[in-house]
Amino acid sequence: MNNSFVNTARLLGAGLRALLVLTLVTGVVYPLVVTGIAQAAFHDKANGSEIKTDGKVVGSSLIGQSYNLPLKKGQQTPDADLKWFQGRPANGLGTNSVNTRYKLILSGATNLSADSKVLLEQVQDAKAAVVKDNSVPGYSVDPSDVPADAVTSSGSGLDPDISPAYAELQVHRIAARNGLPVAQVEKLVKDHTTGRTLGFVGEPRVNVLELNIALKDLAAKQ
């Protein structure tokens, strides 16, 4: 038998064995080990930081949700369901044939400059809506009280949190819409306010989904 043919066959055999071993190690063993460690040590994070209620997954603590009423005939944009705490605007996500706000296929900011007329108009419209929606009998919202996160979207457009100031601004509306005492709703916000990480990283925040789940439970007890 020709030596070159034999050498070629040996090289091909060695290459095939190397391919199989690497495939097994990197494609099967390594993913299983990493997955096992993640499930054992970081179970919640590995599974998407899921939030459950009544035994069902209702969302992730990392992804914002919209709280809107069903679309009415002829409507292009749904109205906010004002019995729930509302999150930040999601102007940066955009839409196409399959994407709507807070769906996970798209994320992103508006990419509008600070002096953009479009951005300024969006902010002014959002501020007017926040003032109107949250002003209830006996409690009026002043435009100067509206925090920035109430009228601007985050860099990803998927921010699940709002500032304590924005949550507190919504308290009187939530109380009125759900027939709850203001003091109880205020306590709800306080109980679901998370401080700075390690005491100095980031800003205090309120997870909207977790807050609305607690609100649902509170309203059900009345």
Side-chain angles (χ1 to χ4, degrees), residues 118-143:
V118 174
L119 178 61
L120 292 175
E121 183 177 349
Q122 287 180 356
V123 169
Q124 290 168 355
D125 290 345
K127 179 176 284 191
V130 169
V131 170
K132 177 178 178 293
D133 291 343
N134 291 283
S135 294
V136 296
Y139 177 79
S140 297
V141 175
D142 190 276

Side-chain angles (χ1 to χ4, degrees), residues 163-188:
S163 65
Y166 186 27
E168 290 163 5
L169 183 146
Q170 301 182 62
V171 162
H172 285 79
R173 166 176 57 80
I174 293 295
R177 293 273 177 165
N178 291 277
L180 296 169
V182 169
Q184 286 190 7
V185 183
E186 287 177 334
K187 184 177 185 303
L188 206 64

